[in-house]
Amino acid sequence: MSALLEVKDVVTAYGKIEALKGVSLEVQQGSITCLLGPNGAGKTTLMMSTAGILRPRSGSIQFAGAEIAGAAPHAIVARGIALVPENRLVFPGMTVTENLRAGAYQRADKAEIEAHIERMFARFAPLKARATQLGGTLSGGEQQMLSVARALMSRPRLLLMDEPSLGLAPLIVDEIFRIIAELNKDGTTIFLVEQNAHMALKVANHFYLIEQGKVTFSGDPGSLAEDEVIRRAYLGSARA
Amino acid sequence: MFDFIQAVLDGILFGTIYSLIGIGFTLVFGVMHKINMAYAAASIGAAYIGLVSASAMKAASAWVVFGCSLVAGGVLGFLVYLICFHLIPLRNENATLMSTVGMLLLADELISHATTGAPQNYPATLEDVMFRFGEMSMRGDLVVVFGVSVVCTAALLLLLYRTRLGLATRAVAQQPIAAQLCGMRVAQVNTLTFVITGVLGGIAGALICSAVGSLSILLTGPLTVKGLIVTVIGGLGSVPGAIVAGLLVGGLENVFQHFRGVTERDMYVMLLLFAFLIFRPGGIFAKGQGRD
Ligand SMILES: Nc1ncnc2c1ncn2[C@@H]1O[C@H](COP(=O)(O)OP(=O)(O)OP(=O)(O)O)[C@@H](O)[C@H]1O
Ligand SMILES: [Mg+2]
């Protein structure tokens, strides 16, 4: 395996406050890599920095060998990275189908896009019945599915997911994780942020723990340190 | 009674121009959450440039003037964007707002200077034509105003709801971060929004001058005010709202004028604004908010 995404010494700040204080990690091609950490650790900041919404102050982010730190979001999407953002961010006033078309914005293959939308409806069955319903009127779980499906419409090589299980009922969470495993089996590399460490570690090949803007631990699920990592992911070491 | 219906009808026909101007304000607000105070003044400016360039081409027919105004409107829209929303940092809310107010006054000064303050004759479309239906009649030029406005509005709606650019415009308006994550370029959408609303403004400006028969800076103030009122009544950011509000303001304005005379008319229009701000601050179609 080789690294598809290589993050090195990334510092990202909001004004004077550094949310990432030199983060380094790797996501191997074909893997499900999981980023765990307590609230405010900097997980979303790292996702947004990788997707180009936030500009790192320093450090490097390499994707498939090319430097993407500081590149514009549209250029990063064009290279094959898609982010399922925290809180889903579906387009509330657009229909489900339009949301999916928006995800395919950079593609020109019109006929294939429509066929792809049909395949999304087959994979995310609850969305099909709601094809003409506005995004803002969907339930939380449906919005999450829509957000994942929208990201997939750009045919990414790397799918970033920021807390896809947030606020969902256990049954829906199971469903989301089933989809994650399935996508990965189909060849999409996945970099997943989760607070639901138990679920995440079941599907992940590798994990990192981030605390207060720094990676403090990394390892493989099943290793001896797992319990300690889970505890710290929930509580944060400072408060433990 | 017929006079009354006639007044309402004329008002609604003319109201389509208010709809156009309202759409210009509301679309920019929807996409950028900024008010472009210079919009109506730039529209009259475009109508002036249209007039001058058409006469330079020795083609003073109203339709050529409209075409030139349309192009000038797009160019002015781009310039306003460049100066007020690109060179001036967007993050500073007050700076961008003040810059558009400055631009409004500058446009006024430029028109005033270019015309040496004198009203300019503006070509009419169907000057002496009257369409009659029994006791009712419709001024030909108002019918043209109505027809052109409806065509422009329809074209805009098609653009917004049937094209890739329209999809991006709505996406940026509804959820700019997600729009970027879909690979859309916010700056590009913003620029095109200004060009497109500028084109609409150029046409609206030329229509008004043509319906009034002359162009002068006395038009910019009232048009700015009416445009803003339509935008608020329609609900900031709502294109369908602006369309309906334009017709409403146009119609009611003539009703007020019919009963209370032209000097009192705009007082009631202002009171209408306050009535909306108090009872329906979200506008006619105060739309339901999506989750999250
Ligand atoms: N827009 C912002 N302005 C200022 N500080 C911010 C901003 N967004 C995040 N922060 C700060 O940066 C730090 C990291 O935030 P981030 O959202 O990346 O955490 P997170 O790990 O995703 O947390 P959570 O699990 O709650 O989503 C926090 O201390 C937060 O307060
Ligand atoms: Mg977060």
Side-chain angles (χ1 to χ4, degrees), chain A residues 44 86 162-163:
Chain A
T44 298
E86 190 174 48
D162 195 347
E163 302 208 40

Side-chain angles (χ1 to χ4, degrees), chain B residues 31-274:
Chain B
V31 172
M32 298 186 69
H33 295 270
K34 303 274 187 239
I35 299 224
N36 172 17
M37 290 295 293
Y39 182 58
S43 300
I44 298 295
Y48 179 69
I49 297 173
L51 179 68
V52 173
S53 38
S55 26
M57 291 187 292
K58 311 246 178 300
S61 109
W63 300 104
V64 178
V65 173
F66 282 15
C68 295
S69 306
L70 176 160
V71 176
V75 173
L76 288 185
F78 177 73
L79 285 178
V80 170
Y81 172 75
L82 195 68
I83 296 168
C84 301
F85 295 88
H86 186 77
L87 296 180
I88 294 174
L90 280 179
R91 253 155 282 137
N92 192 331
E93 301 274 339
N94 293 329
T96 47
L97 181 61
M98 287 320 293
S99 72
T100 65
V101 173
M103 193 56 87
L104 158 69
L105 301 173
L106 179 62
D108 252 10
E109 290 303 327
L110 287 173
I111 298 169
S112 159
H113 174 73
T115 62
T116 59
Q120 308 288 300
N121 282 331
Y122 216 86
T125 44
L126 294 177
E127 199 166 10
D128 299 319
V129 181
M130 273 283 181
F131 298 102
R132 292 190 187 286
F133 311 93
E135 300 232 13
M136 308 286 298
S137 62
M138 282 197 279
R139 269 171 59 193
D141 55 349
L142 281 187
V143 174
V144 170
V145 164
F146 179 78
V148 173
S149 301
V150 167
V151 169
C152 290
T153 307
L156 179 80
L157 290 176
L158 280 178
L159 182 80
L160 276 180
Y161 290 94
R162 290 281 176 276
T163 69
R164 194 165 163 270
L165 171 64
L167 184 75
T169 307
R170 288 183 294 140
V172 169
Q174 290 176 25
Q175 183 40 262
I177 293 194
Q180 294 179 75
L181 293 175
C182 288
M184 297 159 180
R185 304 183 196 203
V186 172
Q188 191 183 55
V189 168
N190 289 347
T191 312
L192 286 171
T193 302
F194 269 83
V195 172
I196 290 164
T197 56
V199 164
L200 287 183
I203 297 171
L207 281 176
I208 291 171
C209 296
S210 171
V212 174
S214 72
L215 181 153
S216 87
I217 55 161
L218 294 179
L219 290 171
T220 62
L223 195 58
T224 303
V225 172
K226 293 279 160 63
L228 287 171
I229 290 176
V230 166
T231 310
V232 171
I233 290 180
L236 283 165
S238 164
V239 172
I243 295 172
V244 175
L247 303 181
L248 184 76
V249 170
L252 284 177
E253 169 177 282
N254 272 18
V255 171
F256 298 142
Q257 179 167 343
H258 179 78
F259 287 114
R260 306 295 311 168
V262 70
T263 53
E264 277 184 39
R265 181 186 80 182
D266 285 353
M267 281 166 36
Y268 296 104
V269 177
M270 293 302 169
L271 290 178
L272 182 71
L273 171 69
F274 281 104

Side-chain angles (χ1 to χ4, degrees), chain A residues 97-232:
Chain A
T97 307
E98 284 177 323
N99 267 274
L100 294 177
R101 278 205 198 105
Y105 180 71
Q106 292 194 341
R107 291 169 55 182
D109 47 345
K110 255 191 158 167
E112 174 51 27
I113 290 173
E114 296 307 310
H116 198 174
I117 290 177
E118 283 311 313
R119 290 205 297 283
M120 285 300 163
F121 284 151
R123 175 168 252 156
F124 302 92
L127 294 184
K128 189 179 172 73
R130 315 231 171 269
T132 57
Q133 202 170 312
L134 294 184
T137 65
L138 300 184
S139 76
E142 288 162 350
Q143 288 194 7
Q144 188 63 60
M145 285 186 199
L146 180 57
S147 185
V148 175
R150 183 181 64 188
L152 290 174
M153 287 303 295
S154 68
R155 293 193 289 210
R157 293 171 65 192
L158 173 65
L159 185 64
L160 309 173
M161 304 178 91
D162 195 347
E163 302 208 40
S165 71
L166 192 72
L168 302 184
L171 234 83
I172 314 275
V173 174
D174 287 348
E175 175 74 6
I176 295 280
F177 275 94
R178 189 186 60 72
I179 290 167
I180 291 173
E182 209 174 278
L183 290 174
N184 181 244
K185 222 170 72 200
D186 294 351
T188 312
T189 304
I190 291 172
F191 186 23
L192 173 68
V193 165
E194 261 303 333
Q195 290 229 1
N196 191 335
H198 283 288
M199 287 299 281
L201 291 174
K202 266 190 227 162
V203 296
N205 306 108
H206 195 75
F207 68 83
Y208 290 91
L209 178 67
I210 183 173
E211 294 173 289
Q212 295 173 18
K214 283 200 180 115
V215 171
T216 52
F217 199 93
S218 80
D220 296 334
S223 60
L224 279 176
E226 192 172 309
D227 286 346
E228 165 72 2
V229 166
I230 289 177
R231 197 176 57 77
R232 278 161 65 176

